[in-house]
Amino acid sequence: MRTTDIITSAFMPLPIEAMYAANINKVIVIKFCQRFHLYIHAYALLLLARGLTLVQISLIESILIGTIFLMEVPTGVLADRVGRKWSIFASTVLLMCAEFIFIFAQSFAWYVFIAFLAGIGFAFASGAVEALVYDSLPPEGREDAMKRAMGRVNSYSLIAFVVAPIIGGLIIGDAAVENFIPAIALTVVALLVGVLVCLTLREPLNDSSEATTSSMSLLRDGVHLLRHHQRLRRLVMLIVFTTPITSSLITTLGPPYLIDNDAAPFMAGVVLSLGSLLGAFTTRYAYKVEEWLGQGRAIALLILLPGAMYWLLAAVAGPAATVLVMILMLGLSDMKTPLFSAYQNALIESKNRATVLSLINMFLNLFVAFAAPFFAAIAETSLVGAFVAMGAMIFVGGLLLRAHRLPQAEAG
């Protein structure tokens, strides 16, 4: 090839397929940056050192979850109106601003404001990321491609949870307040990288974020679809009522259970890192379980497995066994996510995809908001009882909804 041909080809636009394949790689980088929190494992220690009480810290977490719940649908509608790219961009900018303010915040009121900003940021990404990934895939074989694509996205997101606590632990050291500042600053830098990558995303051609479609029409059509599409409604019910609520295991129930079983406190960070590393592998290749077992048996297994792991966690004793089972629990609990992502997206039209996905996430957040305190109340009396109850919830939900008879999703 002549030199002039090489120079000319460098400025030629990429084929459409290549551009949208690059979209998925960019989403992976963005999600990694959004999860790369270098101090999250010691977040409560910093707030306690800055004068907050445990009640105030718990209230901040509630405000964060409440904001996500309230903003799920409005941000989903906006993603369908203005485009998925700009919703993901807004998400990353808001998260970066929240982290930047966190460096200087000293009062409870400022932490409430930070939780509000972060909640809106997480809500903006909620439906938009999945919608952009799905619409960036070629129409032929899109459902199977989605299982692989979301497996990769979730896998690399979990790797951020593996790397960040290790690096953050080295920076924070003895958890002195001044040691948190560089860790938070580097988190801001990671999010800035994510912001810059957002600007290079391409809006999918089959995205129907048309100005002629009103926000109320998008919302009304989304609600109608969830009410009247029996297959989609059953998928949503399976997602919601069999959720393993691993966030409670990581932040609330897991650490005291480790200590009750004579594990050292620092093992909570080890469990999170190793569990996330295992989860990065299992979610990446979850589609192979379906290939080996068939859809019905694979989905039944992946839904009920976290319930069995909760019961196993309640049965074991001693530091080694408890740590091992908890790592397995974290590593196996999200395997069904990329598969369900493919199934539900195949049943949703592109024009209001982000709206419908945000409605689904809103129902999930509402369920978790009620279920997590319920299991925490049981844990006040018995942590073992809480794990037994959580496992029972998953089994009852999966069996009543007949996870093993999940029908094949229609191509959307």
Side-chain angles (χ1 to χ4, degrees):
M1 182 180 289
R2 293 179 301 175
T3 303
T4 53
D5 293 334
I6 295 174
I7 295 173
T8 302
S9 64
F11 290 93
M12 292 177 63
L14 289 171
I16 295 296
E17 296 82 359
M19 284 193 296
Y20 295 137
N23 254 7
I24 297 171
N25 292 329
K26 292 170 185 176
V27 166
I28 288 172
V29 174
I30 294 164
K31 289 291 289 181
F32 182 92
C33 293
Q34 289 186 348
R35 294 286 188 96
F36 194 72
H37 289 276
L38 291 165
Y39 66 97
I40 196 65
H41 62 289
Y43 161 82
L45 296 178
L46 174 60
L47 294 188
L48 287 170
R50 286 182 170 178
L52 271 67
T53 66
L54 286 173
V55 172
Q56 288 175 318
I57 295 171
S58 177
L59 184 57
I60 290 168
E61 293 295 321
S62 297
I63 291 169
L64 175 67
I65 294 171
T67 303
I68 295 172
F69 170 75
L70 292 174
M71 297 304 295
E72 279 282 8
V73 173
T75 54
V77 172
L78 277 173
D80 285 323
R81 291 275 288 163
V82 305
R84 286 72 150 125
K85 168 183 175 176
W86 295 113
S87 289
I88 299 171
F89 173 79
S91 166
T92 314
V93 168
L94 286 168
L95 292 174
M96 183 181 68
C97 291
E99 293 293 340
F100 181 77
I101 296 171
F102 200 84
I103 295 174
F104 307 100
Q106 295 292 333
S107 68
F108 176 70
W110 274 109
Y111 293 121
V112 168
F113 178 66
I114 290 168
F116 181 70
L117 275 185
I120 299 174
F122 285 126
F124 259 115
S126 178
V129 167
E130 229 179 279
L132 184 136
V133 169
Y134 191 84
D135 285 338
S136 296
L137 296 168
E140 188 68 28
R142 180 176 277 175
E143 184 181 329
D144 286 335
M146 184 64 171
K147 297 169 190 174
R148 292 167 171 79
M150 286 307 297
R152 290 177 62 213
V153 171
N154 293 334
S155 175
Y156 285 103
S157 295
L158 287 170
I159 288 175
F161 275 145
V162 177
V163 179
I166 296 172
I167 299 175
L170 294 174
I171 295 171
I172 294 169
D174 61 357
V177 173
E178 61 272 13
N179 293 346
F180 280 89
I181 303 304
I184 302 171
L186 287 173
T187 302
V188 173
V189 171
L191 286 164
L192 177 60
V193 172
V195 169
L196 297 177
V197 176
C198 286
L199 295 174
T200 68
L201 288 170
R202 299 296 295 258
E203 200 71 56
L205 291 177
N206 58 344
D207 173 56
S208 304
S209 51
E210 302 171 359
T212 55
T213 305
S214 70
S215 299
M216 286 306 300
S217 295
L218 289 169
L219 180 57
R220 185 170 56 249
D221 291 346
V223 172
H224 183 271
L225 178 67
L226 287 171
R227 287 184 59 192
H228 297 285
H229 198 302
Q230 183 179 4
R231 185 169 296 159
L232 180 60
R233 190 170 66 249
R234 185 171 161 200
L235 280 169
V236 173
M237 291 173 69
L238 274 169
I239 291 170
V240 172
F241 293 112
T242 63
T243 178
I245 319 184
T246 49
S247 58
S248 288
L249 179 65
I250 293 170
T251 61
T252 309
L253 306 182
Y257 196 61
L258 287 169
I259 293 172
D260 284 353
N261 281 275
D262 300 321
F266 78 91
M267 290 305 298
V270 174
V271 166
L272 177 57
S273 290
L274 294 182
S276 298
L277 182 61
L278 177 61
F281 177 81
T282 56
T283 55
R284 176 72 176 83
Y285 295 104
Y287 70 91
K288 289 189 175 293
V289 178
E290 185 188 57
E291 291 177 356
W292 294 334
L293 299 179
Q295 187 192 61
R297 285 190 294 272
I299 288 300
L301 172 66
L302 298 183
I303 283 177
L304 300 179
L305 185 58
M309 295 303 300
Y310 270 124
W311 285 347
L312 181 59
L313 187 60
V316 298
T322 305
V323 166
L324 177 60
V325 174
M326 201 171 292
I327 289 171
L328 291 174
M329 176 72 205
L330 294 177
L332 299 174
S333 60
D334 288 329
M335 284 184 71
K336 72 177 185 294
T337 301
L339 304 185
F340 271 74
S341 177
Y343 302 150
Q344 66 189 13
N345 274 279
L347 303 175
I348 306 170
E349 293 184 19
S350 178
K351 68 176 183 179
N352 64 344
R353 188 180 307 284
T355 300
V356 176
L357 292 173
S358 291
L359 281 166
I360 294 170
N361 288 328
M362 185 187 73
F363 296 139
L364 179 59
N365 283 325
L366 180 63
F367 178 76
V368 171
F370 282 100
F374 171 75
F375 292 122
I378 296 175
E380 289 284 345
T381 303
S382 169
L383 281 165
V384 169
F387 293 141
V388 171
M390 293 171 86
M393 175 196 72
I394 293 172
F395 266 87
V396 170
L399 294 175
L400 286 180
L401 294 169
R402 298 179 180 179
H404 63 291
R405 297 183 183 178
L406 182 69
Q408 285 285 342
E410 300 163 347

